[in-house]
Amino acid sequence: MTVGLFIPCYVDQFYPQAGIATLQLLERLGVDVVYPPKQTCCGQPMANSGFSHLTQDCDDLITESFAEFDYVVVPSGSCALHIKDHLHSDKHPDDARHLRTKVYELVEFLTDILKVKDLKARFPHKVGVHQSCHGLRGLHLSQMSELVAPPFSKPEQLLNMVEGIELIPLSRVDECCGFGGTFCVAEEAVSAKMGKDRVADHISHGAEYITGADLSCLMHMEGILRRQKSNVKVMHIAEILNSL
Amino acid sequence: MKDHAALSEEFNIDEPRVNWHDETLWLIRQKRDKAVHGIPEWEWLRETASQVKNNVLSNLSAYLEQFEANALANGVFVHWAADANEHNEIIHSILRKHQVERMVKSKSMLTEECHLNDYLTENGIEVIDSDLGERIVQLGNEHPSHIVLPCIHKKKEEIGDLFHKYLGTAAGESDPQILTEAARQHLRETFLTRKVALTGVNFAVAETGEFVVCTNEGNADMGAHLADVHIASMGIEKIIPERKHLGVFLRLLTRSATGQPITTYSSHFKSPRQGQEMHIVLVDNGRSRQLGRENFRNSLKCIRCGSCMNTCPVYRRSGGHSYHSVISGPIGSILAPNLDMKEFADLPFASTLCGSCSNVCPVKIDIHNQLYKWRQVLVKEGYVSNTKAISMKTMTWVISFPALFAFAGKTGRWAMKNLPFLVNNKLNPWYKAREMPVPPKESFRDWYVKNRGQK
Ligand code: SF4
């Protein structure tokens, strides 16, 4: 099995350590991973702002870069969802259609494809899990609080394999953090308020770290935590699962 | 005209008030959760309701004609209104026929949509809203901020002040019990003296020609039962095929809205009582246009429960008035651009697309996907600022060329580290309440080339 690694633009530029952890974790689990160098961005910031008609070139780049792999793994729920829902290519329509079915966010790849049963990881801290909306409601990484259905959580399933970790409960289990792509600047006031409230929920339950499968949300919350001079840190789930 | 971002920025100046607004609505969302988790077949009910509504939307004209024929046979006058203006004129003509200058109204968002109150006031007719919440916003000369809880944005002290001014309660009185009693006395007098009562319609049954009005205060019944003339205004999408379908919708409506098992009063109206006159006005006002917009027709399934507003994290922190549209919140943001794309172009962007609205919606409207689709339409039609268009075009250009992307990333990170004032300033909206991420030494791409080489 060969996996193509998609590293979202902002992870590449601002959080390379999450990309490295993803790569190392997959390698430790025996997966053959390749990072195709021509990738840039999934195109979501444009599409969510109403400019999906401008993203053909970047869709083509993705399609050409990843067509040959068995799976594509993305350490970001919202980018994975965007590719799954919206990737299309006039140049290679079949490849693009096929690719949409092969894209997995990291957590779901670990639980659903690799079916990981144990991890040799240790992280002796109190951790709050932020359910990013696109991972949660788009990819169904966990059960959603609005629906009447039995509970499950793929991120927690994995985190519970980590030695020493203590997952903290939250008052509002799956409320949005307010990042929302360009929403965070276009609707600055509401976005910042949502972020503050989200962070406060974690802090009031004693979190030392906030983790999740989407760095965009974590970046937003990190910005707020640092402005508040808080000691609470954010960390991508791959880094926790990869910590020894 | 201020847009949603500007209006919600104003709303956010008073943070304790935002907290209060958020917590009040969250409490209702929690009540809803508790109520729906008591029903194992909840998701099945939602699916059934959604399919019934699909059937309705595919056969709308046939069901409306069936409804009209049955209503006429029941002795009801039926009117058709293409738009708001025609609706208002029809109501006015009925009032003129009966030579009345005062009317009592039970909560109807459709008459808000048609701006009936303003129209009638200009024509010398006094309208009193009989729903307590609506009466409060009417006294305060405001509009409802929520379709089910019209004055949810007002604190009880503010309501006390209004009642002191208009209904003669003691200054500083804010006890809900006392205020409600004062409103009761005031409205009782209204009910007893009005000859014409207007109600909304929650569901109209094609099979029987009857309609159902749901209220918690019984105000629709009080008005309709005492008046000589009962007018019911309904949007054409309110139709359901058969009486048996009511069982599905009535179970969904109030659990979604307030967490109650059922509305206190779900009143069925079929034919006028002896000596009474009954009118039904069927209003289009843009609905058939929305039906023709394939991507947005689903929005017509809405039964106006308001739960998408209660769950919406943006609505809770921006308030209903920030949507500057009669129907606020997520569903309002889909309906409003249908009425006027230019005026409401900002609304589909007033969302993080978190998707909670679609999950609570009792008729399974894909609300957040429709918001996404509206964005594409509005941009293509040119209803988006030039600055945004230019920055989006630049961004797509950069990400279309891997080498340029890597170069821009490097320069950007270098600039953030060495010239932080470039980004850490007041012109950068991110920086107002948040720190920028700390730029790392190298990108993932650089690290990969160094450590794994080109495989
Ligand atoms: S869109 Fe759905 S959730 Fe929102 S008010 Fe309508 S029926 Fe209720």
Side-chain angles (χ1 to χ4, degrees):
Chain A
M1 179 204 298
T2 316
V3 161
L5 182 61
F6 183 95
I7 298 295
C9 54
Y10 69 99
V11 176
D12 177 45
Q13 292 300 320
F14 294 127
Y15 298 96
Q17 71 277 17
I20 297 166
T22 304
L23 175 70
Q24 290 175 340
L25 180 63
L26 289 170
E27 286 174 343
R28 267 173 56 199
L29 292 164
V31 184
D32 186 10
V33 190
V34 176
Y35 172 76
K38 278 205 180 125
Q39 57 180 297
T40 54
C41 165
C42 68
Q44 182 180 214
M46 279 56 94
N48 277 6
S49 307
F51 293 82
S52 64
H53 59 287
L54 295 181
T55 62
Q56 290 99 350
D57 288 343
C58 103
D59 277 16
D60 286 341
L61 280 178
I62 296 173
T63 311
E64 286 159 13
S65 295
F66 290 100
E68 59 177 293
F69 296 104
D70 299 311
Y71 295 100
V72 178
V73 173
V74 192
S76 161
S78 69
C79 306
L81 180 69
H82 181 72
I83 297 175
K84 232 184 219 319
D85 280 356
H86 300 294
L87 183 81
H88 76 282
S89 163
D90 289 337
K91 265 203 223 159
H92 323 279
D94 293 337
D95 283 349
R97 200 172 319 120
H98 189 53
L99 189 54
R100 287 167 59 167
T101 64
K102 297 192 298 188
V103 172
Y104 283 81
E105 182 280 325
L106 173 68
V107 166
E108 64 176 344
F109 184 73
L110 297 178
T111 56
D112 299 6
I113 303 297
L114 292 187
K115 303 197 191 315
V116 170
K117 290 280 169 326
D118 68 312
L119 282 166
K120 294 189 181 24
R122 196 179 128 74
F123 195 74
H125 298 284
K126 286 186 171 178
V127 176
V129 180
H130 175 69
Q131 304 275 10
S132 74
C133 301
H134 289 174
L136 174 74
R137 300 194 185 88
L139 297 173
H140 299 192
L141 293 186
S142 302
Q143 189 51 267
M144 297 151 265
S145 64
E146 302 93 2
L147 301 184
V148 177
F152 69 89
S153 167
K154 294 176 189 180
E156 285 180 21
Q157 187 185 324
L158 293 170
L159 288 169
N160 283 329
M161 296 172 196
V162 176
E163 202 189 303
I165 201 166
E166 184 187 335
L167 298 181
I168 56 137
L170 292 171
S171 300
R172 300 187 188 182
V173 284
D174 52 16
E175 173 115 317
C176 175
C177 72
F179 173 67
T182 47
F183 182 87
C184 73
V185 289
E187 292 260 359
E188 184 273 327
V190 175
S191 171
K193 176 66 180 145
M194 286 169 70
K196 278 208 257 176
D197 291 354
R198 202 67 212 113
V199 161
D201 195 351
H202 286 269
I203 294 176
S204 72
H205 290 89
E208 298 166 61
Y209 288 85
I210 301 177
T211 192
D214 233 317
L215 265 165
S216 50
C217 312
L218 297 178
M219 172 172 76
H220 182 215
M221 289 189 281
E222 181 186 54
I224 285 169
L225 288 166
R226 284 189 29 232
R227 177 62 59 89
Q228 295 174 348
K229 310 220 179 319
S230 165
N231 293 326
V232 176
K233 298 215 162 20
V234 304
M235 198 178 255
H236 189 265
I237 190 165
E239 294 175 78
I240 297 184
L241 300 178
N242 190 48
S243 56
L244 287 171
Chain B
M1 187 63 207
K2 287 188 179 151
D3 64 4
H4 181 271
L7 291 166
S8 43
E9 192 176 341
E10 275 169 24
F11 187 74
N12 270 268
I13 291 171
D14 185 353
E15 193 169 351
R17 192 182 183 94
V18 180
N19 292 339
W20 165 79
H21 190 261
D22 167 58
E23 277 153 22
T24 313
L25 287 157
W26 183 254
L27 208 74
I28 301 167
R29 156 78 206 270
Q30 284 178 306
K31 282 190 184 159
R32 173 249 172 225
D33 288 353
K34 208 166 158 225
V36 310
H37 282 280
I39 299 204
E41 71 273 26
W42 182 254
E43 300 302 331
W44 176 85
L45 276 176
R46 289 176 72 218
E47 182 58 29
T48 308
S50 167
Q51 290 189 19
V52 171
K53 282 283 182 180
N54 279 340
N55 176 344
V56 167
L57 294 182
S58 301
N59 303 286
L60 190 58
S61 58
Y63 285 126
L64 286 169
E65 282 171 24
Q66 189 190 358
F67 175 77
E68 179 187 37
N70 285 323
L72 288 171
N74 294 338
V76 180
F77 294 95
V78 179
H79 312 259
W80 298 83
D83 55 22
N85 202 33
E86 210 176 329
H87 165 263
N88 295 346
E89 281 168 6
I90 291 168
I91 309 289
H92 191 203
S93 73
I94 301 171
L95 293 166
R96 261 203 318 258
K97 182 178 131 197
H98 291 274
Q99 296 177 326
V100 297
E101 280 161 5
R102 308 195 306 168
M103 180 175 87
V104 63
K105 202 172 85 180
S106 150
K107 203 175 135 204
S108 147
M109 287 312 287
L110 177 60
T111 56
E112 284 287 330
E113 181 186 315
C114 297
H115 304 290
L116 177 69
N117 284 15
D118 292 342
Y119 176 91
L120 291 180
T121 313
E122 277 164 27
N123 284 284
I125 290 164
E126 183 201 27
V127 187
I128 293 215
D129 276 307
S130 62
D131 170 86
L132 181 55
E134 291 248 316
R135 185 67 187 133
I136 291 166
V137 293
Q138 200 185 19
L139 288 175
N141 206 10
E142 285 180 70
H143 293 291
S145 71
H146 187 289
I147 57 175
V148 174
L149 313 154
C151 73
I152 194 73
H153 60 289
K154 289 199 109 56
K155 295 191 172 185
K156 56 182 197 291
E157 292 76 18
E158 292 162 331
I159 297 169
D161 289 344
L162 274 177
F163 278 25
H164 171 61
K165 195 161 157 200
Y166 295 104
L167 305 183
T169 51
E173 182 59 73
S174 65
D175 181 56
Q177 196 88 35
I178 294 174
L179 295 181
T180 312
E181 187 54 34
R184 258 174 94 123
Q185 297 305 333
H186 158 68
L187 287 170
R188 175 146 309 171
E189 192 270 334
T190 308
F191 288 130
L192 288 170
T193 53
R194 295 307 185 271
K195 292 199 157 43
V196 179
L198 188 146
T199 69
V201 168
N202 287 88
F203 305 101
V205 185
E207 176 193 33
T208 57
E210 75 194 303
F211 58 92
V212 176
V213 185
C214 304
T215 68
N216 274 324
E217 298 161 17
N219 52 312
D221 312 71
M222 293 273 265
H225 291 168
L226 291 164
D228 301 336
V229 182
H230 176 186
I231 309 172
S233 290
M234 66 175 264
I236 51 173
E237 82 285 12
K238 289 289 163 81
I239 203 95
I240 58 171
E242 296 175 31
R243 201 181 239 179
K244 69 174 184 209
H245 298 131
L246 275 172
V248 175
F249 290 101
L250 289 175
R251 291 183 77 193
L252 288 167
L253 179 65
T254 328
R255 283 188 174 86
S256 300
T258 57
Q260 291 164 272
I262 193 152
T263 2
T264 317
Y265 301 91
S266 303
S267 308
H268 296 235
F269 296 93
K270 191 171 177 191
S271 51
R273 64 167 194 274
Q274 224 161 31
Q276 193 201 29
E277 214 175 274
M278 197 181 263
H279 296 260
I280 295 173
V281 191
L282 293 148
V283 186
D284 184 334
N285 204 30
R287 286 160 176 77
S288 49
R289 183 172 52 231
Q290 189 84 321
L291 189 66
R293 299 194 206 269
E294 204 190 324
N295 280 333
F296 308 113
R297 68 195 299 247
N298 256 343
S299 62
L300 295 172
K301 291 167 157 182
C302 175
I303 59 172
R304 304 287 193 265
C305 71
S307 66
C308 56
M309 294 160 201
N310 302 341
T311 204
C312 178
V314 174
Y315 177 95
R316 280 188 262 115
R317 294 175 184 82
S318 59
H321 289 149
S322 66
Y323 293 81
H324 59 93
S325 151
V326 171
I327 310 230
S328 54
I331 185 65
S333 300
I334 301 171
L335 297 173
N338 172 52
L339 292 173
D340 188 337
M341 274 199 220
K342 188 168 190 286
E343 189 179 347
F344 302 115
D346 56 324
L347 295 185
F349 296 90
S351 164
T352 61
L353 306 181
C354 78
S356 186
C357 47
S358 306
N359 272 352
V360 293
C361 179
V363 287
K364 286 195 164 181
I365 301 173
D366 51 336
I367 304 175
H368 71 296
N369 290 333
Q370 292 193 32
L371 291 171
Y372 175 87
K373 288 175 186 165
W374 258 129
R375 295 179 183 190
Q376 315 305 322
V377 173
L378 291 163
V379 165
K380 277 214 178 125
E381 301 279 333
Y383 296 114
V384 77
S385 76
N386 271 337
T387 358
K388 200 168 187 182
I390 292 168
S391 75
M392 284 301 151
K393 278 188 192 135
T394 319
M395 239 163 116
T396 0
W397 184 67
V398 171
I399 61 163
S400 297
F401 304 98
L404 178 61
F405 172 76
F407 172 75
K410 247 186 213 125
T411 341
R413 273 183 287 121
W414 182 86
M416 277 173 72
K417 207 179 251 151
N418 298 295
L419 315 162
F421 53 89
L422 272 184
V423 282
N424 296 349
N425 64 47
K426 292 245 153 52
L427 293 174
N428 174 0
W430 172 278
Y431 190 67
K432 257 176 114 174
R434 298 159 285 213
E435 295 291 322
M436 298 295 288
V438 182
K441 285 203 306 296
E442 55 182 3
S443 64
F444 176 81
R445 181 183 305 266
D446 297 340
W447 179 92
Y448 189 83
V449 172
K450 225 189 273 167
N451 292 276
R452 291 292 187 279
Q454 290 297 353
K455 270 193 196 172

